[in-house]
């Protein structure tokens, strides 16, 4: 997929999940995570009293992410960005589309989660989709194709990041072919180009 806001720079990270177990570079926070047929499978475990989540450490500020996902029983799957000490923002994917959100940093923060943009589209169970996520300055853009694009803006996004993660609610969601690139500005792009 061709980025909109930015241009791809150096490849910072990739994982095709060609072999198990889950790489030691991934940190399982909650839930059950396994490599299944070239994909990372995440399942929420009720005893955890928390959605399933796995995270990967990576220092960056602006970046371009691409990954494929499949909901196969999960109520939702997310792609989240974090600083070293708090949540920053995320894309939440469900059966009726996806939402870009600015996160509440932590449970002690007076800030609230803010919905920045949303896209309505059917996400069929058992079907693979590819998503591109761009983070640049105070903007987060998520898209599945040229017709389904969500662009959110919040000053709280424009900070240094320390990792990215994959939350899952329910049983199960799959991820594969995760790629992360440095992001350089695209001087010819403006948000007015999007019919949002």
């Amino acid at each position: 997929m061709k980025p909109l806001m930015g241009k791809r720079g150096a490849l910072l990270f990739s994982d095709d999940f060609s072999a198990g177990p889950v790489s030691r570079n991934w940190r399982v926070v909650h839930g059950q995570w396994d490599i299944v047929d070239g994909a990372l499978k995440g399942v929420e475990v009720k005893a955890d009293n928390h959605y399933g989540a796995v995270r990967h450490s990576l220092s960056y500020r602006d970046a371009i992410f691409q990954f494929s996902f499949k909901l196969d029983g999960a109520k939702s799957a997310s792609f989240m960005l974090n600083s070293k000490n708090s949540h920053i923002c995320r894309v939440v994917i469900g059966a009726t589309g996806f939402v870009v959100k600015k996160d509440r940093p932590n449970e002690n923060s007076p800030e609230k989660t803010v919905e920045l943009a949303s896209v309505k589209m059917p996400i069929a169970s058992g079907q693979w989709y590819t998503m591109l996520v761009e983070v640049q300055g105070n903007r987060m853009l998520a898209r599945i194709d040229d017709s389904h694009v969500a662009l959110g803006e919040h000053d709280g996004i424009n900070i240094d990041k320390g990792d990215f993660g994959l939350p899952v609610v329910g049983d199960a969601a799959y991820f594969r072919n995760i790629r992360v690139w440095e992001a350089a500005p695209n001087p010819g792009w403006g948000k007015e180009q999007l019919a949002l």
Side-chain angles (χ1 to χ4, degrees), residues 92-182:
V92 181
I93 305 160
T96 59
F98 56 96
V99 180
V100 172
K101 295 183 176 184
K102 168 64 179 70
D103 277 339
R104 184 185 183 194
N106 56 62
E107 61 184 15
N108 298 317
S109 174
E111 293 183 42
K112 295 182 179 180
T113 298
V114 182
E115 183 177 315
L116 304 177
S118 64
V119 167
K120 295 291 185 184
M121 66 174 291
I123 304 291
S125 179
Q127 180 175 326
W128 284 102
Y129 297 86
T130 297
M131 175 168 275
L132 189 79
V133 177
E134 299 180 61
V135 179
Q136 198 163 94
N138 68 345
R139 294 175 173 172
M140 184 180 199
L141 184 150
R143 64 189 252 253
I144 286 179
D145 53 37
D146 291 336
S147 301
H148 297 96
V149 183
L151 173 64
E153 297 185 27
H154 194 287
D155 287 342
I157 295 173
N158 192 19
I159 64 173
D160 291 334
K161 286 86 174 171
D163 74 23
F164 63 92
L166 303 169
V168 171
V169 177
D171 178 3
Y174 294 79
F175 304 88
R176 67 184 184 193
N177 298 328
I178 296 177
R179 305 286 185 268
V180 186
W181 295 268
E182 291 179 343

